Amino acid sequence: MLDPAAPQLVVNSRTLYFSWLPADPDAVAALVPAGLRPRSDRQVFLNQYIVDDETQTSGFGAYSLTYLGVSLTGVDAPGGLSPGGWWTHYVASSHTVREYAAARGAPVVTGRTSIEVRGDDLVSMTEADGAPLIRARCRVGETGHVISSGHHRYFTRRDGQLLSAVYPFVAEPVAPFEIESVEFLEPGHPMYALRPANPLTIHFGYYSPRSSFAYPGGLSVYPGSSAPPSAPARPAHQVPANLVRSGLPSGS
């Protein structure tokens, strides 16, 4: 097992990252524990990424991962351009990554993520326990000379304490970029509480075939703790997009 206190580096992952406004804002807010506050619009974020080769990491090896959660207010990442986020789900294909993340308080489950690009069509899929859970369809262009960089701040809970960590990233987004639809495929799964509203309203988004980031070496204890309830099952849900803002997050 990797030491959960040790930092880890990932380079040139294939990454689809975006956020939306939810269909059930109250259910989303209920997932945020005491001590943290969701944004007033209850914005939800999703990151699906693939690490194709073990040479792209400092210790994780090759793996795929999806995390999603709720954007927060009052706990921005350094620079103030990206708000903090509460991880509600963390789906990893690698046992090594799951052990490392679980020891840092991430809500880990076993699953896999795929991102397939054919021409300008991108389809991403997140599966857990053999069941497809999330599918997104996008239009993507080519990488240019734009480099985007900054920090994210994510919160987890371990041993009754809220933990905060800051994650630096550098990405090369494609242009043009457009999210066409997002499907939540399993109404009985707790992840379904985070499904997008209809019509789909995207706050930010990008796809990068070369995105690099680091897991920090330390975690800061943040006051407050509360166990989030499970969300109720809802009917099947698929919506098309009516707004896309390309670029890096100003809201997740």
Side-chain angles (χ1 to χ4, degrees):
M1 177 178 174
L2 295 176
D3 180 355
Q8 296 292 336
L9 178 66
V10 175
V11 298
N12 296 332
S13 64
R14 296 185 285 123
T15 299
L16 176 64
Y17 192 18
F18 61 100
S19 74
W20 60 79
L21 300 186
D24 191 340
D26 291 340
V28 168
L31 297 174
V32 178
L36 300 173
R37 291 182 295 142
R39 285 169 52 103
S40 60
D41 60 7
R42 306 309 195 240
Q43 186 183 142
V44 174
F45 60 87
L46 170 72
N47 190 351
Q48 297 169 303
Y49 71 85
I50 314 290
V51 179
D52 292 295
D53 191 89
E54 64 180 6
T55 61
Q56 294 171 240
T57 78
S58 56
F60 286 154
Y63 69 101
S64 67
L65 193 144
T66 292
Y67 63 72
L68 68 161
V70 184
S71 296
L72 304 172
T73 188
V75 286
D76 292 350
L81 298 178
S82 177
W86 167 251
W87 277 341
T88 60
H89 300 85
Y90 191 100
V91 184
S93 65
S94 163
H95 178 72
T96 298
V97 173
R98 290 195 301 271
E99 280 196 333
Y100 177 88
R104 298 165 68 90
V108 172
V109 297
T110 302
R112 64 181 298 270
T113 301
S114 62
I115 298 175
E116 302 293 338
V117 180
R118 296 184 178 180
D120 60 358
D121 294 323
L122 181 152
V123 177
S124 66
M125 178 77 77
T126 297
E127 303 175 4
D129 298 322
L133 298 178
I134 302 175
R135 179 167 55 216
R137 300 181 186 274
C138 309
R139 292 283 183 178
V140 296
E142 301 293 331
T143 54
H145 301 290
V146 175
I147 303 295
S148 299
S149 60
H151 297 82
H152 299 299
R153 185 183 186 188
Y154 295 121
F155 288 80
T156 59
R157 182 173 43 220
R158 186 188 65 196
D159 300 329
Q161 293 182 312
L162 290 175
L163 304 177
S164 166
V166 174
Y167 301 75
F169 70 90
V170 178
E172 300 175 55
V174 303
F177 172 77
E178 180 182 1
I179 299 170
E180 296 185 323
S181 66
V182 181
E183 301 170 74
F184 274 58
L185 302 169
E186 182 48 66
H189 195 279
M191 198 179 285
Y192 194 78
L194 298 164
R195 69 199 185 281
N198 188 2
L200 175 62
T201 301
I202 299 297
H203 189 272
F204 80 88
Y206 71 91
Y207 171 66
S208 172
R210 291 186 294 275
S211 180
S212 303
F213 58 92
Y215 275 72
L219 299 173
S220 299
V221 175
Y222 191 81
S225 177
S226 178
S230 297
R234 304 294 173 124
H237 186 80
Q238 176 181 3
V239 294
N242 77 326
L243 173 64
V244 172
R245 297 178 183 175
S246 297
L248 288 176
S250 59
S252 185

